Amino acid sequence: MLFLSQIKQGGVVCREGGEAHLVLHASSVYELAKEAVKNGVPLTSILEKHGLGEPVNLAELAKNNQLDCPVRHPDPAHMYLTGTGLTHLGSAATRNAMHAKSEELTDSMKIFQMGVEGGKPAEGQEGVQPEWFYKGNGAGVIAPGDALPSPSFALDGGEEPEIAGFYLVGENGKVHRIGYTLANEFSDHVTERQNYLFLAHSKLRPAAFGPELLVGELPMHIEGHSRIERGETTLWEKGFVSGEDNMSHTFKNLEHHHFKYSIFRQPGDLHVHMFGTATLSFADGIQAQEGDVFEISSPTFGLPLRNALGKADELNTEVAPL
């Protein structure tokens, strides 16, 4: 399996197996992806064309906080963060527990059941559309190792261990998948629990991705681990599974229902789409506090994604007339 990582100061690392090397004459994964799209060839062909240089210690780079989100757009306004929920076979129970107020079937359970029944269509057919949310633009992308700043008005800041797909739109509007990373789809679950219509508010938070980008197809079954550390102790930890064997939708169906909108097929735009989870510490009664460290790991994706919970500065939101 082939992985790419982005160095904050510029430079790309390519890893196959245990060997990691700098990619020659490459400043960013984004530029390599643009080159591949422009030439109509796979990203691996561009990597072969550039060639590999000196070996590097990827774990040491991560430890020294030198790795960035694997792919960024140079203009954050042209980088979309979006996602979908209720896509995993265990996800409905967690969400339903947050929203249930009676014996009636909640909207969450209805959407989940729709996915179970129609989220994996036959080839050539369109499956049922999933839940969808907008999370923000590239200004909300947090690098591995950096703090996830929770807004001053937030009621909660909790992790969501997910897989994210990175996509670049070509000049003809054709969408190209660059690869997949681990993601912490950081959310405010207390706000969401107040009323399901607050889900949109709860998702307008930063998110972290990486450190390694998997280039190629995902395994059907993926195992991972989510952990929260408080000082020297582990506050909470739990395993999670992903991949289509553990989902009610295919990745192809989730991609289709995002990119079917022409606004998301604008040339040059970069999209990061998160595919949901079934594991939340919030569901186990955990409320993280400033300084706690979230760690999301999976052997499928190499290095773990680690971010501390931070606090954003309070802003003056008063609107001034011109």
Side-chain angles (χ1 to χ4, degrees):
M1 300 179 78
L2 188 147
F3 299 87
L4 295 176
S5 297
Q6 177 70 50
I7 299 176
K8 284 181 177 178
Q9 293 79 10
V12 176
V13 177
C14 178
R15 179 176 72 82
E16 285 190 90
E19 294 290 322
H21 295 261
L22 288 173
V23 178
L24 294 173
H25 313 296
S27 59
S28 71
V29 177
Y30 175 76
E31 291 298 331
L32 290 172
K34 277 181 58 179
E35 186 178 347
V37 170
K38 180 180 179 181
N39 288 278
V41 298
L43 182 55
T44 50
S45 297
I46 297 301
L47 293 171
E48 290 174 5
K49 173 187 169 185
H50 279 252
L52 300 182
E54 63 181 276
V56 296
N57 187 326
L58 197 58
E60 194 68 20
L61 288 173
K63 181 181 177 182
N64 293 328
N65 201 25
Q66 292 180 272
L67 297 180
D68 199 359
C69 171
V71 194
R72 284 187 188 265
H73 196 290
D75 180 356
H78 285 277
M79 185 174 182
Y80 289 82
L81 306 185
T82 57
T84 184
L86 298 168
T87 54
H88 286 62
L89 297 177
S91 58
T94 300
R95 185 71 70 80
N96 190 59
M98 280 199 279
H99 301 155
K101 290 184 171 63
S102 68
E103 295 301 315
E104 292 182 20
L105 203 61
T106 65
D107 287 339
S108 294
M109 288 301 292
K110 291 175 184 176
I111 287 186
F112 173 74
Q113 192 59 39
M114 288 167 64
V116 170
E117 295 171 0
K120 293 184 174 181
E123 189 66 32
Q125 296 184 6
E126 182 178 290
V128 67
Q129 63 186 5
E131 176 193 38
W132 181 96
F133 61 85
Y134 172 70
K135 192 158 181 69
N137 62 24
V141 174
I142 303 300
D146 289 353
L148 281 161
S150 188
S152 57
F153 55 80
L155 302 179
D156 174 51
E159 89 300 332
E160 294 201 15
E162 305 194 16
I163 293 169
F166 283 69
Y167 305 85
L168 180 61
V169 185
E171 289 304 313
N172 59 358
K174 182 176 176 59
V175 181
H176 303 264
R177 187 192 311 113
I178 307 171
Y180 301 95
T181 72
L182 289 173
N184 187 341
E185 197 272 288
F186 185 63
S187 298
D188 185 338
H189 302 106
V190 172
T191 292
E192 179 187 347
R193 187 174 59 181
Q194 289 179 334
N195 188 303
Y196 186 67
L197 295 179
F198 284 165
L199 176 71
H201 287 281
S202 74
K203 294 298 185 183
L204 290 172
R205 301 291 187 272
F209 307 94
E212 297 192 73
L213 177 88
L214 169 62
V215 177
E217 296 301 319
L218 284 173
M220 296 295 285
H221 176 77
I222 296 168
E223 296 184 7
H225 203 80
S226 186
R227 183 197 332 266
I228 301 177
E229 299 171 359
R230 180 168 292 171
E232 300 297 319
T233 64
T234 297
L235 178 67
W236 172 89
E237 60 182 331
K238 183 174 283 188
F240 67 87
V241 292
S242 192
E244 287 188 9
D245 284 351
N246 304 292
M247 296 173 67
S248 53
H249 289 261
T250 63
F251 284 100
K252 185 176 181 179
N253 190 53
L254 299 177
E255 290 171 339
H256 164 73
H257 285 293
H258 177 67
F259 290 109
K260 68 183 181 184
Y261 299 103
S262 61
I263 193 173
F264 295 146
R265 299 194 307 274
Q266 298 303 302
D269 283 354
L270 180 67
H271 287 255
V272 188
H273 197 57
M274 290 156 272
F275 295 110
T277 187
T279 304
L280 306 174
S281 64
F282 181 78
D284 292 336
I286 301 297
Q287 189 156 16
Q289 63 186 36
E290 189 174 356
D292 289 350
V293 176
F294 303 113
E295 180 181 278
I296 298 169
S297 62
S298 169
T300 303
F301 290 94
L303 293 175
L305 174 62
R306 290 175 57 86
N307 300 89
L309 174 59
K311 190 87 169 176
D313 293 336
E314 192 163 350
L315 298 177
N316 180 4
T317 59
E318 182 180 355
V319 177
L322 288 177

